[in-house]
Amino acid sequence: MGLIIKAISTKKELKEFIKFPDRLYSGNKLYVPAIHSNELLTLSFDKNPAFEFCRAKYWLAYDNGEIVGRIAGIINDRYNEKHNIKYARFGWLDFVNDKKVLMLLFQAARQWALSENMEYLHGPLGFSSFDASGILIGGFDEMSTSFAHYNFPYYSKLIEEFGYKKDVDWVEYNIKVPEYVPEKFVVGAELIKKRYNLHSASLKNKKDILKYADDIFKLINNEYKDIYAFSQLSKKQIMALKKQFALFLRPEYISIVLNSTNEVVAFGITMPSLAQAQQKAKGKLFPFGFIHIMNALKKNNTVEALLIAVKKDYQNKGVNGIIFTDIMSAYIKNGINNFESTREMENNVKINNLWNKFEYRQHKRTRCYIKQL
């Protein structure tokens, strides 16, 4: 039978596509399995709202009947139309250490992209910025965060051998939570509030958070619009994201900053790390995976950043100080000593400079590649 590539055509094959990395990284203590049910929703044409403006195709590579690689091809028409480009994306890329396997995967994605009149192939990227993206090129001795994707060091080497070049890099930081909230943070936050007539939303439960959700996503669409690979979220996508993340939210780890008319002008959303819980769950929420997730939400020493945004009119005015002052006391109270930033553009100086006030280290780097077809 030998080495072959096959486009996915059944739900059984899609489930095999989803589970392949779990076998590839079996025994690896740094790999964090994605939740299979969430992956199934994302990749299903009839479940993911992104398919209102995206097209996709998935392939599995087999060697004598055994799965040895996977890749997704995605075209985000909304993103292409906005930027007047013809880009296809590749994502969900995993493969054994064999150049021939990667060649088959890239050939399949390339031929499909050409048949759809695309001019470039870039990735790894998903349907939206909420999907895992990038190839890890630094930090192979660090555990992946909850919603990121770990990979072996040979990935980047083989990808580059096929002529793919760096398009952008993302970096990640580990920040040590101080033993107490610095007084200058507290004083500074109060001064900023008075100067610009701002206040922090009272968040006692998830209902308090969700009542601001639409304004938060509106701010995301406005302030993230020029971020690499971001495309505006639709109403259906927003509804799906609310449902997906509602379970994981803890009010004390979230800050929402309002102006005098109670308009959301900034927010920071962090959550307890689920990485170790997902390892214990092995990709399955039931029967016991859900218990591991709930335990991690209640007792943890690490939090991860999900989202942060400040309305343009309030940027460079110290509003970030309000956000960190709001949530830092909760970290200290609950025994949190590690803060994991999720992937940030390497040239996003405004965000990167936030960590200079703390003990920190830049410990991971991830790359998005591009190649003209």
Side-chain angles (χ1 to χ4, degrees):
M1 187 176 179
L3 189 61
I4 63 169
I5 190 90
K6 182 181 178 183
I8 286 177
S9 59
T10 68
K11 190 171 183 179
K12 180 177 180 293
E13 290 171 341
L14 181 57
K15 289 181 177 180
E16 291 173 343
F17 180 95
I18 290 167
K19 294 177 182 178
F20 169 65
D22 297 346
R23 190 171 74 250
L24 181 64
Y25 292 94
S26 178
N28 187 299
K29 296 181 180 180
L30 303 174
Y31 167 73
V32 176
I35 299 299
H36 296 164
S37 55
N38 289 345
E39 290 285 89
L40 189 60
L41 287 173
T42 299
L43 294 166
S44 295
F45 298 99
D46 59 340
K47 301 292 184 182
N48 188 346
F51 281 104
E52 291 180 345
F53 50 86
C54 287
R55 293 169 275 161
K57 195 168 183 177
Y58 317 129
W59 296 268
L60 285 168
Y62 297 84
D63 191 358
N64 292 318
E66 180 181 350
I67 298 173
V68 290
R70 68 172 189 172
I71 195 170
I74 300 167
I75 297 171
N76 185 321
D77 290 313
R78 175 176 290 174
Y79 181 78
N80 283 351
E81 289 168 8
K82 177 186 175 182
H83 296 279
N84 192 29
I85 56 178
K86 294 182 177 181
Y87 279 24
R89 305 176 174 194
F90 67 88
W92 281 268
L93 177 66
D94 287 291
F95 53 97
V96 299
N97 190 2
D98 187 332
K99 189 174 180 178
K100 293 179 181 178
V101 172
L102 182 58
M103 179 182 70
L104 280 184
L105 295 171
F106 273 150
Q107 281 179 346
R110 180 179 182 275
Q111 289 169 5
W112 176 74
L114 285 170
S115 73
E116 299 291 332
N117 298 313
M118 296 295 107
E119 297 175 351
Y120 287 86
L121 188 61
H122 68 150
L125 292 165
F127 300 93
S128 78
S129 298
F130 289 86
D131 298 322
S133 55
I135 291 292
L136 189 68
I137 63 168
F140 298 105
D141 57 346
E142 303 280 347
M143 183 181 290
S144 178
T145 48
S146 305
F147 300 105
H149 183 67
Y150 183 83
N151 59 260
F152 289 125
Y154 64 77
Y155 277 42
S156 58
K157 177 179 179 294
L158 292 183
I159 288 171
E160 289 169 12
E161 286 183 13
F162 283 102
Y164 285 81
K165 305 295 184 182
K166 171 186 174 180
D167 202 11
V168 297
D169 275 7
W170 294 276
V171 292
E172 296 181 50
Y173 295 85
N174 173 268
I175 300 95
K176 295 299 180 184
V177 176
E179 295 181 359
Y180 59 91
V181 182
E183 184 179 356
K184 63 180 181 180
F185 267 58
V186 178
V187 173
E190 289 303 314
L191 286 173
I192 296 300
K193 286 180 179 180
K194 290 178 182 178
R195 183 176 300 168
Y196 300 109
N197 203 6
L198 303 174
H199 62 283
S200 299
S202 176
L203 305 175
K204 297 179 180 179
N205 52 50
K206 291 180 182 178
K207 287 184 179 179
D208 289 339
I209 301 168
L210 291 174
K211 73 181 182 182
Y212 295 107
D214 288 338
D215 288 339
I216 286 172
F217 280 107
K218 181 180 178 181
L219 189 58
I220 289 172
N221 274 338
N222 287 337
E223 300 305 328
Y224 282 37
K225 61 185 178 182
D226 296 322
I227 290 180
Y228 181 83
F230 179 82
S231 61
Q232 188 173 46
L233 298 168
S234 68
K235 289 182 179 180
K236 288 184 179 180
Q237 280 181 295
I238 290 171
M239 288 176 62
L241 287 167
K242 286 182 192 177
K243 186 176 180 180
Q244 179 182 352
F245 287 103
L247 173 68
F248 307 131
L249 300 181
R250 287 191 60 173
E252 63 266 44
Y253 295 160
I254 295 172
S255 172
I256 300 175
V257 182
L258 310 173
N259 65 12
S260 58
T261 60
N262 287 324
E263 174 192 10
V264 175
V265 299
F267 68 86
I269 300 176
T270 66
M271 57 172 279
S273 172
L274 303 180
Q276 292 184 357
Q278 287 173 230
Q279 287 183 329
K280 293 175 183 177
K282 298 180 179 179
K284 301 175 182 178
L285 283 180
F286 301 101
F288 303 115
F290 189 79
I291 296 173
H292 296 306
I293 298 294
M294 296 309 295
N295 287 340
L297 291 173
K298 293 175 183 177
K299 187 177 181 181
N300 216 311
N301 69 348
T302 302
V303 293
E304 297 177 4
L306 278 185
L307 295 165
I308 185 169
V310 178
K311 191 175 180 180
K312 188 175 182 179
D313 295 346
Y314 292 87
Q315 292 176 7
N316 302 316
K317 293 181 178 179
V319 177
N320 288 325
I322 300 174
I323 294 172
F324 284 103
T325 301
D326 284 347
I327 59 181
M328 201 179 298
S329 58
Y331 294 164
I332 296 167
K333 178 182 177 182
N334 293 322
I336 301 294
N337 50 43
N338 282 294
F339 179 98
E340 288 283 336
S341 77
T342 43
R343 296 176 178 181
E344 310 162 5
M345 298 294 294
E346 64 176 341
N347 59 359
N348 190 342
V349 178
K350 292 179 183 178
I351 294 296
N352 297 344
N353 284 344
L354 291 176
W355 318 130
N356 292 337
K357 303 176 180 67
F358 306 96
E359 179 186 345
Y360 74 97
R361 62 191 178 100
Q362 188 265 301
H363 61 325
K364 299 176 195 171
R365 180 175 289 268
T366 309
R367 179 160 295 171
C368 184
Y369 288 94
I370 191 166
K371 183 179 182 180
Q372 187 170 5
L373 299 175

